Amino acid sequence: MDQNSLRKLVEGQLLRLEGNAFQDCMDRLGLELHPGDYQPVRAAGPKGDTKNDGYCPKARVFFAAHATRGERIDKTKAKIRGDLEGCLQEHRDVKVWRFLTNDTLAGEVDQFIDSELRPRYRGVTIEVWGIKTLAHEISKLERVQVDRVIDVVTVDEPGLEVIILSHIKTGRELWPILSGSLGWLEHDEPEDCTAEEQDLIDGAIQSFRDWSDIAGDIEFSRSSVRDAQRDITAILEQLAEKGLVLYSATKDNYPLTGGPSPFLGTVAIFRIVRVGSATPPSG
Protein backbone atom coordinates (compact mmCIF):
# COMPACT_ATOMS: atom_id res chain seq x y z
CA MET A 1 0.00 0.00 0.00
CA ASP A 2 1.44 3.41 -0.93
CA GLN A 3 1.64 6.29 1.55
CA ASN A 4 -1.30 8.18 0.06
CA SER A 5 -3.57 5.15 0.36
CA LEU A 6 -2.36 4.51 3.89
CA ARG A 7 -3.10 8.10 4.94
CA LYS A 8 -6.62 7.84 3.55
CA LEU A 9 -7.14 4.57 5.40
CA VAL A 10 -5.93 6.12 8.66
CA GLU A 11 -8.17 9.17 8.17
CA GLY A 12 -11.16 6.90 7.67
CA GLN A 13 -10.44 5.04 10.88
CA LEU A 14 -9.93 8.25 12.88
CA LEU A 15 -13.23 9.69 11.62
CA ARG A 16 -15.08 6.74 13.13
CA LEU A 17 -13.77 7.34 16.64
CA GLU A 18 -15.65 9.19 19.34
CA GLY A 19 -15.13 9.98 23.01
CA ASN A 20 -12.95 7.52 24.92
CA ALA A 21 -12.22 5.50 21.79
CA PHE A 22 -10.46 8.52 20.28
CA GLN A 23 -8.54 9.17 23.51
CA ASP A 24 -7.44 5.52 23.63
CA CYS A 25 -6.21 5.81 20.04
CA MET A 26 -4.25 8.95 20.89
CA ASP A 27 -2.72 7.16 23.88
CA ARG A 28 -1.49 4.44 21.56
CA LEU A 29 -0.04 7.12 19.27
CA GLY A 30 1.71 8.81 22.18
CA LEU A 31 3.27 5.51 23.23
CA GLU A 32 4.64 4.99 19.71
CA LEU A 33 5.89 8.56 19.20
CA HIS A 34 7.44 8.89 22.68
CA PRO A 35 8.55 5.41 23.80
CA GLY A 36 9.68 5.33 27.39
CA ASP A 37 8.28 8.79 28.14
CA TYR A 38 4.59 9.07 27.30
CA GLN A 39 2.12 8.36 30.12
CA PRO A 40 -1.65 8.07 29.55
CA VAL A 41 -3.88 9.88 32.07
CA ARG A 42 -7.54 9.28 32.90
CA ALA A 43 -9.91 11.18 35.15
CA ALA A 44 -10.05 9.88 38.72
CA GLY A 45 -11.29 11.45 41.93
CA PRO A 46 -12.60 14.98 42.49
CA LYS A 47 -9.80 16.64 40.49
CA GLY A 48 -10.51 14.67 37.32
CA ASP A 49 -7.61 14.38 34.88
CA THR A 50 -6.13 17.78 35.88
CA LYS A 51 -6.68 18.96 32.29
CA ASN A 52 -4.18 16.44 31.01
CA ASP A 53 -5.12 13.49 28.78
CA GLY A 54 -1.54 12.26 28.58
CA TYR A 55 1.95 13.69 28.87
CA CYS A 56 5.68 13.16 28.54
CA PRO A 57 7.25 13.94 31.95
CA LYS A 58 10.76 14.11 30.48
CA ALA A 59 10.04 16.14 27.34
CA ARG A 60 7.28 18.14 29.15
CA VAL A 61 4.80 17.65 26.32
CA PHE A 62 1.13 17.63 27.37
CA PHE A 63 -1.75 16.32 25.28
CA ALA A 64 -5.44 17.15 25.09
CA ALA A 65 -7.41 14.69 22.94
CA HIS A 66 -10.93 15.67 21.92
CA ALA A 67 -13.13 14.33 19.12
CA THR A 68 -14.57 17.59 17.74
CA ARG A 69 -16.34 16.16 14.69
CA GLY A 70 -19.65 18.00 14.26
CA GLU A 71 -19.11 20.19 17.32
CA ARG A 72 -20.12 23.87 17.43
CA ILE A 73 -17.31 26.39 17.01
CA ASP A 74 -17.97 28.16 20.29
CA LYS A 75 -17.89 24.87 22.20
CA THR A 76 -14.60 23.87 20.59
CA LYS A 77 -13.02 27.24 21.41
CA ALA A 78 -14.19 27.01 25.03
CA LYS A 79 -12.85 23.45 25.28
CA ILE A 80 -9.43 24.43 23.93
CA ARG A 81 -9.13 27.49 26.20
CA GLY A 82 -10.30 25.57 29.26
CA ASP A 83 -7.98 22.61 28.69
CA LEU A 84 -4.95 24.80 27.99
CA GLU A 85 -5.42 27.15 30.93
CA GLY A 86 -6.30 24.28 33.25
CA CYS A 87 -3.19 22.38 32.23
CA LEU A 88 -0.95 25.41 32.82
CA GLN A 89 -2.49 25.94 36.26
CA GLU A 90 -2.06 22.31 37.30
CA HIS A 91 1.36 21.50 35.85
CA ARG A 92 4.80 23.04 35.94
CA ASP A 93 7.21 23.64 33.08
CA VAL A 94 4.82 22.90 30.20
CA LYS A 95 6.96 23.22 27.06
CA VAL A 96 4.51 21.91 24.44
CA TRP A 97 0.72 21.72 24.67
CA ARG A 98 -0.75 19.64 21.85
CA PHE A 99 -4.46 19.57 21.02
CA LEU A 100 -5.48 16.43 19.10
CA THR A 101 -8.73 16.20 17.16
CA ASN A 102 -10.23 13.95 14.48
CA ASP A 103 -11.57 16.93 12.56
CA THR A 104 -10.21 19.86 10.57
CA LEU A 105 -10.75 22.89 12.79
CA ALA A 106 -12.72 25.79 11.36
CA GLY A 107 -10.75 28.88 10.38
CA GLU A 108 -12.35 30.82 13.23
CA VAL A 109 -11.00 28.33 15.76
CA ASP A 110 -7.54 28.36 14.21
CA GLN A 111 -7.53 32.17 14.25
CA PHE A 112 -8.60 32.16 17.90
CA ILE A 113 -5.65 29.94 18.81
CA ASP A 114 -3.15 31.99 16.82
CA SER A 115 -4.44 35.47 17.70
CA GLU A 116 -5.49 35.03 21.33
CA LEU A 117 -3.90 31.99 22.94
CA ARG A 118 -0.39 31.95 21.46
CA PRO A 119 0.33 35.64 22.23
CA ARG A 120 -1.00 35.21 25.77
CA TYR A 121 1.10 32.13 26.52
CA ARG A 122 4.33 32.81 24.64
CA GLY A 123 6.38 30.48 26.85
CA VAL A 124 4.43 27.45 25.61
CA THR A 125 4.45 25.94 22.14
CA ILE A 126 0.76 25.45 21.32
CA GLU A 127 0.13 22.89 18.61
CA VAL A 128 -3.06 21.65 16.99
CA TRP A 129 -3.02 18.29 15.27
CA GLY A 130 -6.18 17.92 13.18
CA ILE A 131 -7.12 14.82 11.25
CA LYS A 132 -4.77 15.55 8.33
CA THR A 133 -1.76 16.05 10.61
CA LEU A 134 -2.64 13.00 12.70
CA ALA A 135 -3.00 10.82 9.60
CA HIS A 136 0.33 12.13 8.28
CA GLU A 137 2.17 11.47 11.55
CA ILE A 138 0.63 8.02 12.01
CA SER A 139 1.31 6.90 8.43
CA LYS A 140 5.02 7.81 8.83
CA LEU A 141 5.35 5.02 11.41
CA GLU A 142 6.25 1.44 10.60
CA ARG A 143 3.29 -0.57 9.30
CA VAL A 144 3.03 -2.66 12.46
CA GLN A 145 2.98 0.54 14.53
CA VAL A 146 0.23 2.02 12.34
CA ASP A 147 -1.88 -1.09 12.92
CA ARG A 148 -1.35 -0.83 16.68
CA VAL A 149 -2.32 2.85 16.79
CA ILE A 150 -5.55 2.56 14.83
CA ASP A 151 -6.28 -0.87 16.36
CA VAL A 152 -6.73 -2.77 13.11
CA VAL A 153 -4.67 -5.12 11.02
CA THR A 154 -4.39 -4.06 7.38
CA VAL A 155 -3.81 -6.69 4.73
CA ASP A 156 -2.71 -6.10 1.14
CA GLU A 157 -4.54 -8.57 -1.06
CA PRO A 158 -3.86 -9.28 -4.76
CA GLY A 159 -5.28 -6.59 -6.99
CA LEU A 160 -4.30 -3.84 -4.52
CA GLU A 161 -7.38 -4.47 -2.39
CA VAL A 162 -6.88 -3.49 1.25
CA ILE A 163 -8.82 -5.40 3.87
CA ILE A 164 -9.10 -3.89 7.33
CA LEU A 165 -9.33 -6.43 10.13
CA SER A 166 -10.95 -5.07 13.27
CA HIS A 167 -9.84 -5.92 16.79
CA ILE A 168 -12.63 -8.14 18.14
CA LYS A 169 -13.14 -7.99 21.89
CA THR A 170 -16.62 -9.49 22.40
CA GLY A 171 -18.95 -12.03 20.89
CA ARG A 172 -21.36 -9.25 20.04
CA GLU A 173 -18.70 -7.67 17.81
CA LEU A 174 -17.88 -10.96 16.08
CA TRP A 175 -21.45 -12.14 15.54
CA PRO A 176 -22.25 -9.98 12.46
CA ILE A 177 -19.15 -11.41 10.78
CA LEU A 178 -20.09 -15.00 11.59
CA SER A 179 -23.75 -14.64 10.70
CA GLY A 180 -23.04 -12.81 7.45
CA SER A 181 -20.47 -15.25 6.02
CA LEU A 182 -20.94 -18.31 3.82
CA GLY A 183 -17.43 -19.59 4.47
CA TRP A 184 -14.05 -18.62 5.84
CA LEU A 185 -10.44 -18.31 4.75
CA GLU A 186 -7.67 -20.25 6.44
CA HIS A 187 -6.80 -18.40 9.64
CA ASP A 188 -3.41 -16.88 10.48
CA GLU A 189 -1.72 -17.23 13.85
CA PRO A 190 1.65 -16.42 15.50
CA GLU A 191 4.51 -18.67 14.46
CA ASP A 192 5.84 -19.06 18.01
CA CYS A 193 2.77 -20.73 19.55
CA THR A 194 3.26 -23.37 22.22
CA ALA A 195 1.37 -26.67 21.93
CA GLU A 196 -1.13 -25.43 24.52
CA GLU A 197 -1.68 -22.17 22.63
CA GLN A 198 -2.04 -24.06 19.37
CA ASP A 199 -4.77 -26.27 20.86
CA LEU A 200 -6.54 -23.20 22.26
CA ILE A 201 -6.43 -21.38 18.91
CA ASP A 202 -7.62 -24.45 16.98
CA GLY A 203 -10.52 -24.90 19.39
CA ALA A 204 -11.45 -21.21 19.18
CA ILE A 205 -11.43 -21.14 15.36
CA GLN A 206 -13.47 -24.33 15.19
CA SER A 207 -16.03 -22.82 17.57
CA PHE A 208 -16.26 -19.67 15.44
CA ARG A 209 -16.85 -21.81 12.34
CA ASP A 210 -19.47 -23.92 14.13
CA TRP A 211 -21.37 -20.81 15.21
CA SER A 212 -21.11 -19.44 11.69
CA ASP A 213 -22.59 -22.66 10.30
CA ILE A 214 -25.69 -22.50 12.50
CA ALA A 215 -26.05 -18.71 12.72
CA GLY A 216 -28.88 -18.68 10.20
CA ASP A 217 -30.80 -21.30 12.18
CA ILE A 218 -30.75 -19.41 15.48
CA GLU A 219 -31.02 -15.79 14.28
CA PHE A 220 -34.77 -15.86 14.96
CA SER A 221 -34.13 -16.39 18.69
CA ARG A 222 -32.60 -13.44 20.54
CA SER A 223 -31.84 -15.59 23.57
CA SER A 224 -29.99 -18.14 21.43
CA VAL A 225 -27.95 -15.40 19.78
CA ARG A 226 -27.09 -13.92 23.19
CA ASP A 227 -25.99 -17.37 24.42
CA ALA A 228 -23.79 -17.71 21.34
CA GLN A 229 -22.29 -14.26 21.87
CA ARG A 230 -21.53 -15.03 25.52
CA ASP A 231 -19.83 -18.28 24.51
CA ILE A 232 -17.70 -16.42 21.97
CA THR A 233 -16.79 -13.74 24.52
CA ALA A 234 -15.62 -16.46 26.92
CA ILE A 235 -13.40 -17.91 24.16
CA LEU A 236 -11.91 -14.49 23.45
CA GLU A 237 -11.19 -14.06 27.16
CA GLN A 238 -9.37 -17.41 27.19
CA LEU A 239 -7.22 -16.23 24.29
CA ALA A 240 -6.55 -12.93 26.08
CA GLU A 241 -5.28 -14.80 29.14
CA LYS A 242 -2.53 -16.18 26.87
CA GLY A 243 -1.79 -12.74 25.42
CA LEU A 244 -3.59 -13.53 22.16
CA VAL A 245 -6.21 -11.35 20.45
CA LEU A 246 -8.49 -11.82 17.48
CA TYR A 247 -8.73 -9.58 14.42
CA SER A 248 -11.48 -10.35 11.95
CA ALA A 249 -13.36 -9.03 8.93
CA THR A 250 -15.28 -10.25 5.91
CA LYS A 251 -14.28 -10.42 2.24
CA ASP A 252 -17.07 -10.10 -0.31
CA ASN A 253 -17.38 -11.73 -3.74
CA TYR A 254 -15.01 -14.55 -2.88
CA PRO A 255 -15.22 -17.60 -5.20
CA LEU A 256 -16.73 -20.41 -3.14
CA THR A 257 -16.76 -22.88 -6.02
CA GLY A 258 -14.40 -23.53 -8.92
CA GLY A 259 -15.00 -23.38 -12.63
CA PRO A 260 -15.39 -20.55 -15.14
CA SER A 261 -18.50 -19.18 -13.37
CA PRO A 262 -17.84 -19.70 -9.66
CA PHE A 263 -20.43 -19.02 -6.97
CA LEU A 264 -19.37 -15.85 -5.16
CA GLY A 265 -20.07 -15.17 -1.52
CA THR A 266 -18.88 -13.48 1.66
CA VAL A 267 -16.20 -15.22 3.70
CA ALA A 268 -14.84 -14.54 7.18
CA ILE A 269 -11.18 -13.82 7.89
CA PHE A 270 -9.73 -14.76 11.29
CA ARG A 271 -6.30 -13.60 12.38
CA ILE A 272 -4.82 -14.33 15.80
CA VAL A 273 -2.14 -11.83 16.93
CA ARG A 274 0.05 -11.93 19.99
CA VAL A 275 -0.22 -8.76 22.08
CA GLY A 276 2.92 -6.64 21.68
CA SER A 277 4.10 -8.65 18.67
CA ALA A 278 6.94 -6.86 16.90
CA THR A 279 5.82 -8.00 13.46
CA PRO A 280 2.34 -8.17 11.95
CA PRO A 281 0.94 -11.49 10.73
CA SER A 282 1.64 -12.19 7.09
CA GLY A 283 -0.95 -11.24 4.50
Side-chain angles (χ1 to χ4, degrees), residues 195-225:
E196 181 182 4
E197 290 173 339
Q198 184 68 69
D199 290 342
L200 179 61
I201 291 172
D202 289 346
I205 297 298
Q206 187 59 56
S207 293
F208 299 155
R209 292 177 174 181
D210 290 344
W211 283 121
S212 181
D213 282 341
I214 66 171
D217 297 328
I218 67 172
E219 281 278 281
F220 68 92
S221 171
R222 294 184 61 187
S223 62
S224 296
V225 171

Side-chain angles (χ1 to χ4, degrees), residues 1-263:
M1 189 191 313
D2 61 36
Q3 283 297 105
N4 187 51
S5 298
L6 182 60
R7 281 196 296 271
K8 289 181 178 179
L9 184 151
V10 171
E11 281 189 37
Q13 289 298 108
L14 293 175
L15 278 171
R16 296 181 176 94
L17 301 177
E18 297 181 357
N20 289 337
F22 180 67
Q23 286 199 4
D24 290 343
C25 179
M26 294 301 96
D27 280 337
R28 294 192 294 271
L29 176 59
L31 291 168
E32 298 296 338
L33 293 179
H34 306 278
D37 194 5
Y38 181 80
Q39 295 185 16
V41 176
R42 285 294 178 270
K47 294 191 70 174
D49 59 10
T50 63
K51 298 301 180 182
N52 170 24
D53 292 329
Y55 76 116
C56 300
K58 298 174 185 175
R60 307 308 295 173
V61 180
F62 289 74
F63 297 79
H66 183 55
T68 59
R69 182 164 46 85
E71 188 175 75
R72 295 195 322 269
I73 290 176
D74 58 338
K75 185 176 180 181
T76 300
K77 289 165 65 174
K79 173 67 175 174
I80 293 173
R81 182 194 292 275
D83 280 0
L84 171 61
E85 294 179 347
C87 179
L88 296 178
Q89 290 173 5
E90 294 283 349
H91 303 280
R92 61 173 182 82
D93 193 23
V94 177
K95 294 183 178 178
V96 177
W97 185 81
R98 188 172 293 157
F99 184 78
L100 311 172
T101 174
N102 63 342
D103 200 356
T104 298
L105 293 182
E108 182 179 334
V109 177
D110 190 64
Q111 184 180 31
F112 161 73
I113 294 169
D114 194 51
S115 301
E116 294 190 33
L117 297 184
R118 288 193 177 108
R120 182 175 299 179
Y121 303 104
R122 295 185 182 277
V124 180
T125 299
I126 300 173
E127 298 179 354
V128 176
W129 286 19
I131 189 167
K132 296 292 185 183
T133 301
L134 283 173
H136 177 72
E137 293 296 326
I138 292 172
S139 59
K140 287 194 303 184
L141 299 170
E142 297 293 329
R143 183 65 170 268
V144 64
Q145 293 177 294
V146 173
D147 289 350
R148 279 201 296 262
V149 170
I150 61 177
D151 201 21
V152 300
V153 170
T154 52
V155 183
D156 290 322
E157 290 289 322
L160 300 180
E161 180 183 2
V162 177
I163 299 176
I164 301 174
L165 307 184
S166 298
H167 184 183
I168 304 297
K169 304 179 183 70
T170 67
R172 187 173 182 179
E173 294 173 337
L174 185 60
W175 188 255
I177 294 175
L178 299 182
S179 62
S181 299
L182 297 177
W184 44 82
L185 300 184
E186 189 64 29
H187 72 277
D188 281 330
E189 61 191 40
E191 296 180 355
D192 60 347
C193 288
T194 64
E196 181 182 4
E197 290 173 339
Q198 184 68 69
D199 290 342
L200 179 61
I201 291 172
D202 289 346
I205 297 298
Q206 187 59 56
S207 293
F208 299 155
R209 292 177 174 181
D210 290 344
W211 283 121
S212 181
D213 282 341
I214 66 171
D217 297 328
I218 67 172
E219 281 278 281
F220 68 92
S221 171
R222 294 184 61 187
S223 62
S224 296
V225 171
R226 285 196 295 268
D227 286 342
Q229 292 173 350
R230 282 192 286 266
D231 181 78
I232 294 167
T233 298
I235 293 172
L236 295 173
E237 290 173 349
Q238 291 174 7
L239 290 171
E241 289 175 0
K242 297 295 184 180
L244 301 168
V245 295
L246 173 70
Y247 285 80
S248 186
T250 57
K251 179 177 176 62
D252 297 328
N253 298 319
Y254 189 83
L256 298 171
T257 61
S261 300
F263 176 70

